[in-house]
């Protein structure tokens, strides 16, 4: 049943993408850049999700809360696609100067690299939900050297570019608002789990690293 639901969602996602691409003259070329970024993050994550699906999980925290938060973020991510494909929220459209989507599209390039690199550096430690696996390690190398949550940094940048590319007060801001709620709620218990697992090593790591950007001093 789960695989059927996943396949149905994937087909819906592709159908909406095709319709939205067909409507790009109405939505503007920035919408194409946004759709390309959403497609890219799914392509980036796919091999890591496949490689880690057989991980033996030793601890999973806040399962119900996680499901609600991830559902909220998924809704925030789907609303722009629904709008671009249907125009349902066109009453809330706004206009921007031509250079605004240019900035958004250019920002996506280093952002997608950071998103990919953070998955690579985490390796088998990565999972969608907050959990620990057998032989879980504290990753402090690569992009995690000075930043504890570079993947969140990348997601923040991706979603903050959304209003620059999808010019609608509802669809443009749905994902940054949804992710902001998840970030504020999730990070404290995620870091508490890591502190419980790794103790003083994690405290020392926190002392020299920032959550989203490197510490200046």
């Amino acid at each position: 049943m789960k695989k059927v639901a996943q396949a149905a969602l994937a087909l819906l996602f592709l159908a909406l993408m095709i319709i939205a691409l067909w409507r790009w003259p109405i939505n503007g070329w920035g919408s194409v850049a946004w759709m390309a970024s959403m497609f890219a993050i799914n392509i980036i994550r796919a091999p890591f999700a496949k490689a880690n699906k057989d991980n033996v999980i030793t601890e999973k925290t806040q399962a119900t809360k996680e499901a609600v938060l991830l559902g909220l973020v998924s809704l925030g991510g789907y609303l722009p696609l629904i709008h671009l494909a249907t125009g349902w929220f066109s009453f809330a459209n706004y206009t921007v100067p031509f250079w605004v989507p240019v900035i958004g599209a250019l920002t996506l390039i280093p952002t997608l690299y950071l998103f990919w690199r953070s998955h690579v550096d985490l390796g088998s430690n990565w999972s969608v939900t907050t959990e620990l696996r057998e032989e879980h390690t504290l990753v402090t190398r690569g992009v995690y050297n000075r930043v504890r949550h570079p993947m969140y940094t990348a997601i923040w940048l991706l979603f903050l570019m959304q209003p620059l590319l999808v010019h609608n007060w509802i669809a443009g801001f749905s994902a940054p608002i949804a992710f902001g709620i998840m970030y504020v709620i999730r990070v404290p218990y995620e870091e508490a789990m890591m502190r419980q697992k790794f103790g003083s090593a994690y405290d020392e790591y926190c002392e020299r690293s920032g959550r989203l950007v490197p510490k200046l001093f």
Side-chain angles (χ1 to χ4, degrees):
M1 182 64 71
K2 183 178 179 180
K3 289 184 177 180
V4 173
Q6 289 175 337
L9 284 174
L11 287 173
L12 176 62
F13 178 78
L14 287 174
L16 290 173
M17 286 281 266
I18 291 169
I19 298 170
L21 281 171
W22 179 66
R23 284 171 48 88
W24 81 264
I26 300 172
N27 297 318
W29 70 265
S31 66
V32 178
W34 176 83
M35 285 186 283
S37 70
M38 293 300 103
F39 187 75
I41 63 175
N42 282 282
I43 294 298
I44 289 170
R45 275 199 161 167
F48 298 97
K50 183 178 180 180
N52 295 350
K53 68 178 182 178
D54 295 326
N55 281 353
V56 177
I57 306 304
T58 59
E59 182 179 343
K60 185 185 286 282
T61 186
Q62 305 283 350
T64 302
K65 188 180 293 184
E66 286 273 288
V68 173
L69 291 174
L70 290 171
L72 178 65
V73 173
S74 295
L75 177 62
Y78 264 96
L79 276 180
L81 190 54
I82 292 171
H83 164 68
L84 294 174
T86 65
W88 285 352
F89 309 129
S90 58
F91 63 88
N93 284 349
Y94 56 82
T95 58
V96 297
F98 76 94
W99 50 266
V100 170
V102 173
I103 292 175
L106 290 176
T107 304
L108 292 177
I109 298 171
T111 299
L112 288 171
Y113 170 79
L114 177 60
F115 186 75
W116 169 76
R117 188 71 242 179
S118 59
H119 282 78
V120 172
D121 289 342
L122 269 187
S124 59
N125 296 293
W126 174 77
S127 64
V128 174
T129 57
T130 305
E131 60 192 31
L132 295 172
R133 66 170 185 88
E134 281 188 349
E135 301 178 0
H136 204 105
T137 58
L138 177 59
V139 178
T140 60
R141 64 182 182 277
V143 292
Y144 288 86
N145 184 29
R146 295 293 179 182
V147 180
R148 300 196 295 281
H149 304 287
M151 194 177 299
Y152 287 163
T153 304
I155 296 172
W156 264 121
L157 288 170
L158 281 167
F159 286 160
L160 288 174
M161 293 306 104
Q162 188 168 293
L164 277 62
L165 302 170
V166 180
H167 308 142
N168 183 273
W169 290 107
I170 298 172
F173 289 87
S174 60
I177 291 173
F179 182 70
I181 293 170
M182 185 182 106
Y183 176 82
V184 170
I185 296 174
R186 188 191 215 191
V187 169
Y189 67 74
E190 182 177 327
E191 291 198 340
M193 183 183 71
M194 297 295 286
R195 185 168 285 107
Q196 183 179 6
K197 171 68 176 178
F198 298 107
S200 60
Y202 189 73
D203 288 330
E204 291 172 6
Y205 176 50
C206 290
E207 283 294 318
R208 64 178 178 81
S209 64
R211 275 185 172 174
L212 295 175
V213 296
K215 286 185 175 180
L216 294 178
F217 304 102

